[in-house]
Amino acid sequence: MSGRIDRELQQTVESVLNNDKNLKGYGLQAYVNNGEVEVTGIVDSLSEKEHVNRVLSKLNGVRRVNNGVSISTDGAIDDEDVEFEVAEELNADPAVNLKHVGAKSVRGTVFLQGHITDQEEKKAAIKAASKARGVTNVVSRLKLEDKNDLSLKELFHSQVNNDRENPEKEDFIVE
């Protein structure tokens, strides 16, 4: 009985992979054994690989998804290219403020750096970065912005004002 159920589930899985708008062009392969789905193939981005897990894990009868899908691009892409593409994806997402969020790529692992205003911005930044070609992993080093922190401009001006207010300091003239 388990063999028949696995065959039916495999047909369903293959149908989903072949008809899903984000996955149908990749020719991903699946094998089902006792409700565990093993998926192999190649996609262009981390978000597509993660999408495989999301769509297949929702299917009735799927106990587990073993995602053996690889991420590859058409041609050579280096860390500078990845950073450029991540910046484009971050810029395209209105929930992410590029003035405070940046990215660094090391062999396809993207490190998001900077400050965010809330957790929704963090989620949006991670999701956007995972859409870029060449990204194999996203690591968030984003910190929640402390409302009491001064901006660089505010910090600079507070230091300048403090210097003027201290009469014991000498004035220096730069020529």
Side-chain angles (χ1 to χ4, degrees), residues 39-167:
V39 185
T40 58
I42 299 172
V43 295
D44 287 336
S45 69
L46 179 60
S47 65
E48 291 164 332
K49 179 177 180 172
E50 292 169 342
H51 184 70
V52 169
N53 284 0
R54 282 192 303 276
V55 297
L56 296 183
S57 63
K58 292 178 184 177
L59 297 176
N60 287 333
V62 172
R63 292 186 1 210
R64 181 176 170 183
V65 176
N66 298 316
N67 192 336
V69 173
S70 298
I71 301 167
S72 183
T73 57
D74 300 336
I77 186 168
D78 61 18
D79 285 328
E80 189 175 310
D81 296 329
V82 171
E83 289 171 10
F84 178 80
E85 293 217 10
V86 168
E88 283 186 327
E89 294 294 343
L90 292 171
N91 191 42
D93 192 320
V96 179
N97 185 341
L98 274 184
K99 291 180 181 177
H100 304 128
V101 176
K104 177 76 176 149
S105 177
V106 179
R107 287 186 232 121
T109 296
V110 171
F111 297 89
L112 294 175
Q113 306 168 114
H115 290 85
I116 51 169
T117 55
D118 56 38
Q119 291 300 324
E120 293 305 312
E121 184 176 10
K122 178 179 179 179
K123 288 177 189 175
I126 292 169
K127 184 177 180 181
S130 71
K131 292 179 183 178
R133 288 181 325 121
V135 175
T136 57
N137 191 23
V138 178
V139 177
S140 173
R141 291 186 176 163
L142 297 169
K143 294 187 177 17
L144 192 57
E145 190 174 70
D146 185 354
K147 302 294 183 200
N148 296 325
D149 284 349
L150 296 175
S151 71
L152 290 176
K153 184 177 180 179
E154 292 168 330
L155 181 61
F156 173 77
H157 287 295
S158 73
Q159 292 298 314
V160 170
N161 290 338
N162 285 343
D163 289 346
R164 285 190 197 140
E165 293 170 5
N166 188 344

Side-chain angles (χ1 to χ4, degrees), residues 14-29 41-44 48 74:
E14 288 172 351
S15 176
V16 167
L17 294 175
N18 292 329
N19 294 306
D20 183 277
K21 66 179 182 172
N22 297 312
L23 304 172
K24 65 182 175 184
Y26 292 113
L28 299 176
Q29 300 295 310
I42 299 172
V43 295
D44 287 336
E48 291 164 332
D74 300 336

